Amino acid sequence: MNEFSDLMGKNIEIEISGGNFYSGILVDAGLDIIVLYVGRTGNFYYIPSVHIQRIKEKKIEENSTYYEQPSEKPLETDPHAISFRRMLTNAKGRFVEVYVTGNKSIHGYLTSIMNDYFVFYSPVYKTMYISMNHVKWLIPYPENAAPYSLSNQTFPVNSTKIPLARSFDEQCKKLENQLVVIDGGNSSEKIGLLQEAGNKCLTLITAERETVYRNHKHVKTIYLAN
Protein backbone atom coordinates (compact mmCIF):
# COMPACT_ATOMS: atom_id res chain seq x y z
CA MET A 1 0.00 0.00 0.00
CA ASN A 2 1.29 3.46 -0.90
CA GLU A 3 2.15 5.63 2.10
CA PHE A 4 0.00 8.45 0.66
CA SER A 5 -3.03 6.24 -0.03
CA ASP A 6 -5.09 8.01 2.66
CA LEU A 7 -4.61 11.31 0.84
CA MET A 8 -5.44 10.06 -2.65
CA GLY A 9 -8.10 12.22 -4.29
CA LYS A 10 -7.93 14.82 -1.53
CA ASN A 11 -6.86 18.43 -1.59
CA ILE A 12 -3.37 18.64 -0.13
CA GLU A 13 -0.61 21.14 0.58
CA ILE A 14 2.94 20.11 -0.17
CA GLU A 15 6.29 21.68 0.65
CA ILE A 16 9.26 20.75 -1.50
CA SER A 17 12.96 21.51 -1.19
CA GLY A 18 13.79 25.20 -1.39
CA GLY A 19 10.78 26.32 0.66
CA ASN A 20 8.29 26.04 -2.22
CA PHE A 21 4.63 25.32 -1.46
CA TYR A 22 1.97 23.90 -3.79
CA SER A 23 -1.68 22.99 -3.29
CA GLY A 24 -3.88 20.70 -5.34
CA ILE A 25 -5.45 17.26 -5.61
CA LEU A 26 -3.24 14.22 -5.12
CA VAL A 27 -4.13 12.10 -8.17
CA ASP A 28 -1.37 9.49 -8.15
CA ALA A 29 1.65 8.29 -6.20
CA GLY A 30 4.40 5.75 -6.77
CA LEU A 31 7.53 4.59 -5.02
CA ASP A 32 9.50 7.73 -5.90
CA ILE A 33 7.00 10.24 -7.31
CA ILE A 34 3.60 11.83 -6.74
CA VAL A 35 1.25 13.58 -9.15
CA LEU A 36 -0.48 16.78 -8.03
CA TYR A 37 -3.33 18.33 -10.02
CA VAL A 38 -3.56 22.11 -9.59
CA GLY A 39 -7.07 22.99 -10.74
CA ARG A 40 -6.46 26.73 -10.79
CA THR A 41 -3.99 26.36 -13.66
CA GLY A 42 -5.10 22.97 -14.97
CA ASN A 43 -1.54 21.66 -14.65
CA PHE A 44 -0.26 18.30 -13.41
CA TYR A 45 2.88 18.50 -11.28
CA TYR A 46 5.03 15.36 -11.31
CA ILE A 47 7.06 15.67 -8.10
CA PRO A 48 9.89 13.29 -7.10
CA SER A 49 9.30 12.08 -3.53
CA VAL A 50 12.92 12.74 -2.53
CA HIS A 51 12.22 16.49 -2.56
CA ILE A 52 9.04 16.36 -0.49
CA GLN A 53 9.65 18.10 2.84
CA ARG A 54 6.09 18.05 4.15
CA ILE A 55 2.63 17.01 2.96
CA LYS A 56 -0.78 17.36 4.61
CA GLU A 57 -4.46 17.52 3.77
CA LYS A 58 -5.71 21.04 3.12
CA LYS A 59 -9.27 21.84 4.08
CA ILE A 60 -11.32 23.51 1.37
CA GLU A 61 -12.84 26.76 2.61
CA GLU A 62 -16.56 27.19 2.18
CA ASN A 63 -16.36 30.05 -0.35
CA SER A 64 -13.34 28.77 -2.28
CA THR A 65 -13.51 27.41 -5.83
CA TYR A 66 -13.70 23.62 -6.04
CA TYR A 67 -11.96 21.84 -8.92
CA GLU A 68 -13.06 18.40 -10.04
CA GLN A 69 -10.45 15.65 -10.10
CA PRO A 70 -9.52 14.94 -13.75
CA SER A 71 -10.30 11.53 -15.20
CA GLU A 72 -6.98 11.19 -17.06
CA LYS A 73 -3.40 12.30 -16.55
CA PRO A 74 -1.30 13.68 -19.44
CA LEU A 75 1.46 11.11 -18.93
CA GLU A 76 -0.73 8.08 -18.30
CA THR A 77 1.20 5.09 -17.01
CA ASP A 78 0.50 1.72 -15.45
CA PRO A 79 -0.95 2.69 -12.03
CA HIS A 80 1.03 -0.14 -10.42
CA ALA A 81 4.36 0.99 -11.85
CA ILE A 82 4.42 4.80 -11.82
CA SER A 83 7.96 6.03 -11.28
CA PHE A 84 10.11 9.07 -11.95
CA ARG A 85 12.07 7.39 -14.74
CA ARG A 86 8.93 6.01 -16.41
CA MET A 87 7.41 9.48 -16.28
CA LEU A 88 10.49 10.96 -17.97
CA THR A 89 10.32 8.28 -20.65
CA ASN A 90 6.67 9.07 -21.35
CA ALA A 91 7.47 12.80 -21.49
CA LYS A 92 10.24 12.38 -24.07
CA GLY A 93 9.60 14.51 -27.15
CA ARG A 94 6.79 16.44 -25.48
CA PHE A 95 6.77 20.13 -24.52
CA VAL A 96 7.28 20.32 -20.75
CA GLU A 97 8.18 22.74 -17.99
CA VAL A 98 10.89 21.70 -15.53
CA TYR A 99 11.80 23.32 -12.24
CA VAL A 100 15.26 22.65 -10.84
CA THR A 101 16.48 25.65 -8.89
CA GLY A 102 16.23 29.41 -8.48
CA ASN A 103 13.17 31.52 -9.15
CA LYS A 104 12.34 30.33 -12.64
CA SER A 105 11.50 27.13 -14.46
CA ILE A 106 12.72 25.92 -17.87
CA HIS A 107 10.55 25.25 -20.93
CA GLY A 108 11.42 22.86 -23.71
CA TYR A 109 11.71 19.19 -24.70
CA LEU A 110 13.34 16.08 -23.26
CA THR A 111 15.39 14.57 -26.06
CA SER A 112 17.44 11.82 -24.34
CA ILE A 113 17.30 10.06 -20.98
CA MET A 114 20.51 8.64 -19.55
CA ASN A 115 21.40 6.94 -16.23
CA ASP A 116 21.21 9.94 -13.88
CA TYR A 117 20.57 12.91 -16.16
CA PHE A 118 18.58 13.85 -19.23
CA VAL A 119 19.18 16.07 -22.24
CA PHE A 120 16.79 19.01 -22.52
CA TYR A 121 16.37 21.28 -25.52
CA SER A 122 15.22 24.83 -24.71
CA PRO A 123 14.58 27.60 -27.25
CA VAL A 124 16.34 29.98 -24.84
CA TYR A 125 19.27 27.93 -23.52
CA LYS A 126 19.53 25.37 -26.35
CA THR A 127 20.90 21.97 -25.29
CA MET A 128 21.05 21.51 -21.52
CA TYR A 129 22.16 18.58 -19.37
CA ILE A 130 19.99 18.26 -16.26
CA SER A 131 20.76 16.05 -13.27
CA MET A 132 17.77 13.89 -12.34
CA ASN A 133 18.72 14.18 -8.67
CA HIS A 134 17.82 17.87 -8.59
CA VAL A 135 14.53 17.99 -10.52
CA LYS A 136 11.86 19.36 -8.16
CA TRP A 137 8.91 18.97 -10.52
CA LEU A 138 7.89 18.56 -14.14
CA ILE A 139 4.72 19.81 -15.86
CA PRO A 140 3.72 18.26 -19.22
CA TYR A 141 1.79 20.51 -21.60
CA PRO A 142 -0.94 19.39 -24.03
CA GLU A 143 0.17 17.37 -27.01
CA ASN A 144 1.14 19.46 -30.04
CA ALA A 145 1.73 22.49 -27.78
CA ALA A 146 4.99 24.37 -28.39
CA PRO A 147 6.89 26.84 -26.21
CA TYR A 148 6.20 30.50 -26.91
CA SER A 149 3.75 29.36 -29.64
CA LEU A 150 6.69 28.77 -31.98
CA SER A 151 6.13 26.56 -35.01
CA ASN A 152 8.26 23.55 -35.81
CA GLN A 153 9.82 25.58 -38.62
CA THR A 154 10.98 28.37 -36.31
CA PHE A 155 11.73 26.08 -33.38
CA PRO A 156 13.41 22.86 -34.49
CA VAL A 157 14.41 20.48 -31.71
CA ASN A 158 18.09 20.17 -32.48
CA SER A 159 20.04 17.23 -31.19
CA THR A 160 23.39 17.91 -29.55
CA LYS A 161 26.57 17.29 -31.53
CA ILE A 162 28.38 16.28 -28.35
CA PRO A 163 28.35 12.48 -27.80
CA LEU A 164 26.28 11.45 -24.79
CA ALA A 165 27.82 9.65 -21.82
CA ARG A 166 25.88 7.38 -19.53
CA SER A 167 26.36 9.44 -16.36
CA PHE A 168 26.15 13.15 -15.57
CA ASP A 169 29.76 13.20 -14.31
CA GLU A 170 31.02 11.64 -17.54
CA GLN A 171 28.99 14.08 -19.62
CA CYS A 172 30.51 17.04 -17.76
CA LYS A 173 33.93 15.68 -18.68
CA LYS A 174 32.98 15.89 -22.36
CA LEU A 175 32.47 19.64 -21.87
CA GLU A 176 36.04 20.30 -20.70
CA ASN A 177 37.78 23.31 -22.31
CA GLN A 178 34.42 24.77 -23.27
CA LEU A 179 32.67 27.90 -21.99
CA VAL A 180 29.78 26.66 -19.84
CA VAL A 181 26.92 27.93 -17.70
CA ILE A 182 26.08 26.10 -14.48
CA ASP A 183 22.66 26.24 -12.79
CA GLY A 184 21.43 28.99 -15.08
CA GLY A 185 24.37 31.28 -14.38
CA ASN A 186 22.74 32.95 -11.37
CA SER A 187 26.23 33.88 -10.17
CA SER A 188 29.31 35.06 -12.04
CA GLU A 189 31.14 32.13 -10.44
CA LYS A 190 28.88 29.73 -12.36
CA ILE A 191 29.90 30.96 -15.80
CA GLY A 192 33.33 30.25 -17.24
CA LEU A 193 35.75 27.91 -18.90
CA LEU A 194 35.38 24.35 -17.65
CA GLN A 195 39.04 23.55 -17.16
CA GLU A 196 38.52 20.12 -15.65
CA ALA A 197 35.68 17.83 -14.61
CA GLY A 198 37.16 15.58 -11.95
CA ASN A 199 35.67 12.85 -9.80
CA LYS A 200 34.66 15.25 -7.02
CA CYS A 201 34.50 18.74 -8.48
CA LEU A 202 34.37 20.91 -11.56
CA THR A 203 37.20 23.42 -12.04
CA LEU A 204 35.91 26.63 -13.58
CA ILE A 205 37.88 29.68 -14.74
CA THR A 206 35.63 32.75 -14.46
CA ALA A 207 35.63 35.95 -16.52
CA GLU A 208 37.70 37.52 -13.72
CA ARG A 209 40.24 34.71 -14.25
CA GLU A 210 39.51 33.26 -10.83
CA THR A 211 39.64 29.50 -10.36
CA VAL A 212 36.49 28.14 -8.73
CA TYR A 213 36.10 24.53 -7.62
CA ARG A 214 32.48 23.39 -7.52
CA ASN A 215 31.23 20.15 -5.97
CA HIS A 216 29.73 18.21 -8.88
CA LYS A 217 27.11 16.62 -6.59
CA HIS A 218 25.50 20.04 -6.27
CA VAL A 219 25.60 20.89 -9.97
CA LYS A 220 22.00 20.82 -11.20
CA THR A 221 22.23 21.90 -14.83
CA ILE A 222 25.05 22.63 -17.26
CA TYR A 223 25.09 23.84 -20.84
CA LEU A 224 27.43 25.49 -23.32
CA ALA A 225 27.43 29.28 -23.38
CA ASN A 226 26.10 30.43 -26.74
Side-chain angles (χ1 to χ4, degrees):
M1 179 179 294
N2 190 281
E3 57 187 344
F4 299 127
S5 58
D6 291 343
L7 295 174
M8 202 66 64
K10 296 182 179 179
N11 201 57
I12 65 168
E13 178 184 88
I14 182 171
E15 177 185 358
I16 65 173
S17 301
N20 297 288
F21 295 84
Y22 300 93
S23 297
I25 300 173
L26 181 64
V27 296
D28 208 347
L31 292 176
D32 61 353
I33 194 171
I34 69 166
V35 185
L36 186 72
Y37 175 68
V38 180
R40 177 176 53 82
T41 61
N43 289 330
F44 291 81
Y45 286 68
Y46 288 75
I47 305 172
S49 303
V50 67
H51 294 298
I52 297 176
Q53 301 288 324
R54 178 177 61 84
I55 185 170
K56 69 173 184 178
E57 183 176 359
K58 183 177 181 181
K59 301 299 181 182
I60 300 176
E61 298 180 3
E62 186 175 344
N63 296 324
S64 63
T65 303
Y66 176 76
Y67 299 98
E68 291 288 342
Q69 180 175 339
S71 58
E72 293 185 356
K73 298 182 291 297
L75 299 178
E76 193 64 49
T77 60
D78 182 344
H80 301 294
I82 181 174
S83 69
F84 182 43
R85 177 169 287 277
R86 185 180 293 270
M87 178 274 296
L88 290 176
T89 300
N90 290 343
K92 186 177 177 181
R94 186 165 178 169
F95 173 38
V96 300
E97 180 178 350
V98 177
Y99 175 68
V100 181
T101 186
N103 58 1
K104 58 184 177 181
S105 51
I106 310 165
H107 299 79
Y109 294 85
L110 277 74
T111 60
S112 299
I113 301 169
M114 311 310 286
N115 285 358
D116 62 351
Y117 77 100
F118 56 86
V119 184
F120 192 81
Y121 187 81
S122 159
V124 177
Y125 307 106
K126 308 310 177 186
T127 299
M128 309 178 68
Y129 307 99
I130 301 179
S131 169
M132 292 183 189
N133 297 327
H134 295 288
V135 173
K136 306 304 187 299
W137 51 252
L138 180 147
I139 297 174
Y141 282 92
E143 292 189 68
N144 302 319
Y148 314 104
S149 297
L150 296 173
S151 66
N152 290 333
Q153 288 72 32
T154 58
F155 175 47
V157 179
N158 299 320
S159 59
T160 177
K161 296 180 181 179
I162 299 175
L164 297 180
R166 292 186 178 183
S167 72
F168 188 64
D169 294 347
E170 293 170 350
Q171 188 61 29
C172 287
K173 196 161 187 63
K174 291 182 178 293
L175 304 180
E176 287 181 342
N177 301 313
Q178 303 260 23
L179 193 62
V180 301
V181 180
I182 294 173
D183 298 347
N186 57 1
S187 163
S188 62
E189 292 188 348
K190 292 186 176 182
I191 304 173
L193 179 73
L194 181 58
Q195 187 179 59
E196 184 180 3
N199 293 329
K200 294 185 178 180
C201 66
L202 305 183
T203 305
L204 207 67
I205 308 299
T206 70
E208 294 79 15
R209 292 180 294 178
E210 293 182 326
T211 301
V212 177
Y213 301 92
R214 190 164 296 279
N215 187 336
H216 69 79
K217 294 296 183 184
H218 295 285
V219 174
K220 303 168 183 64
T221 69
I222 188 169
Y223 58 91
L224 295 178
N226 296 308

